[in-house]
Amino acid sequence: MVVRFNGGAQAAHNVVAPDGRHHTFAQFGSGTFTPGVLTHLSRFMLVDPLALAAEADHLRALGVPDALDRLTVDGDALLTTPYHRAANRARESARGAARHGSCGMGVGETASYALAHDDAPRAADCLSPARLRRRLAAVRDWYRAAFPDGEDVPGADACAEAFTAFAERVRIVGPGHLPALLRAGSAVFEGAQGVLLDEWHGFHPYTTWSTTTFANAETLLAEAGASAARLGVLRAYATRHGPGPFVTEDPALTADLPDPHNGTGRWQGAFRVGHLDAVALRYALEVAGGVDGLAVTHLDVAGARPDLRVCHSYEMDGGRVGRLETGPPDLDRQAALTRRLLAARPVYAPLGDPVETIEDALGAPVVLRSHGPTSTDKRADHFRTPIDLSVR
């Protein structure tokens, strides 16, 4: 099974099957192409029923007719509505040139609305039509009051009807469901977004309203009396989608290394490419609490690009910096760090063997190597967990 432990419909995990089928997984677990693999959306997910239905339709067209049958949703998961999405786009548009690079899917508005309103709609509300409609109407009224010139949105009755149909199609479960699942078999806890976009540890304000470290997964595991190996995933070079600090960005690499599944988006902005950034990666590992192993992707690209480099330090604040300071949640500190990074300059060395360079720079073993988009292009190496990561 796959357990989703953060984010929402803005996630974009591209999977290419050996037979060429491609799907961008957002809310379904990335193992859904494999028959019988379950997806559980935990209480830390922000569930968008309309986007989920559209994703299920695309999977059905690819020969996966039972994705919804294999899905369970924690009743306490927040619901993202068309009103949250419209508010997200209105707020981002109002920022003009100072846009944060939102995906425009309403995730941040869903989280912020819930912080301010105890009656924010949740998945379990879909089982109580009257309460659901009342809570949806409140969100719609909030949106209209905040953005009177915002885009048109459906009425609360129409939205409630669609969300009720969602509840009739999927299993909405209580807190005891996940521990039972974990006792029954192996699980992959799948996160969304990189650590440098974390709501508290990322480069504010170019971040997501979601905890992107292992923290949510570890909370769920602790509640179930279970544990897991921690796997970090990175490319052999650096990328960023949308605005924000990117010390090793290289316009030539951006031009030469387009990503077929990550283009310029209306809301998120441009897909940007740069050289491997060991400083940023060390920071990400530290705020995430470390890893048991690393998976490195796009090694085929690195093998074909001898011009790729690695940045071991920055020229910043009048000197050389090889480590970024970490600390408890403090958005003012993170905003100050962002300003410093926007002025930083990379100090480069040749990349050499990317796996050796990454292991030396980060002090963690590379246990999964990816030389292409499909599962047949992956190679496991000395990773010992209850889940066999080797590809047969």
Side-chain angles (χ1 to χ4, degrees), residues 20 47 52 87 99-100 106-107 110 124 135 143 156 161 172 181 193 213 220 222 258 265 267 273 293 301 303 364 372:
V47 179
L52 190 69
R99 283 188 175 196
H100 293 171
V107 168
T110 304
R135 292 188 169 187
Y143 163 68
E161 182 177 351
I172 297 175
L181 277 181
Q193 290 80 48
T213 65
L220 296 169
W267 299 103
V273 182
V301 176

Side-chain angles (χ1 to χ4, degrees), residues 132-133 136 155-168:
L132 173 67
R133 191 207 173 282
L136 290 174
D157 287 338
C159 190
E161 182 177 351
F163 281 25
T164 301
F166 155 78
E168 294 171 349

Side-chain angles (χ1 to χ4, degrees), residues 89-174:
R89 296 177 177 185
R91 199 181 304 278
E92 184 75 342
S93 295
R95 294 185 178 116
R99 283 188 175 196
H100 293 171
S102 168
C103 293
M105 298 297 291
V107 168
E109 296 294 338
T110 304
S112 63
Y113 181 88
L115 289 174
H117 300 84
D118 292 337
D119 62 346
R122 298 180 182 270
D125 294 329
C126 296
L127 302 174
S128 302
R131 184 175 66 200
L132 173 67
R133 191 207 173 282
R134 184 170 63 254
R135 292 188 169 187
L136 290 174
V139 182
R140 188 181 190 278
D141 291 345
W142 160 83
Y143 163 68
R144 277 298 175 210
F147 303 100
D149 298 323
E151 65 184 71
D152 290 337
V153 290
D157 287 338
C159 190
E161 182 177 351
F163 281 25
T164 301
F166 155 78
E168 294 171 349
R169 188 64 183 83
V170 304
R171 288 182 61 201
I172 297 175
V173 298

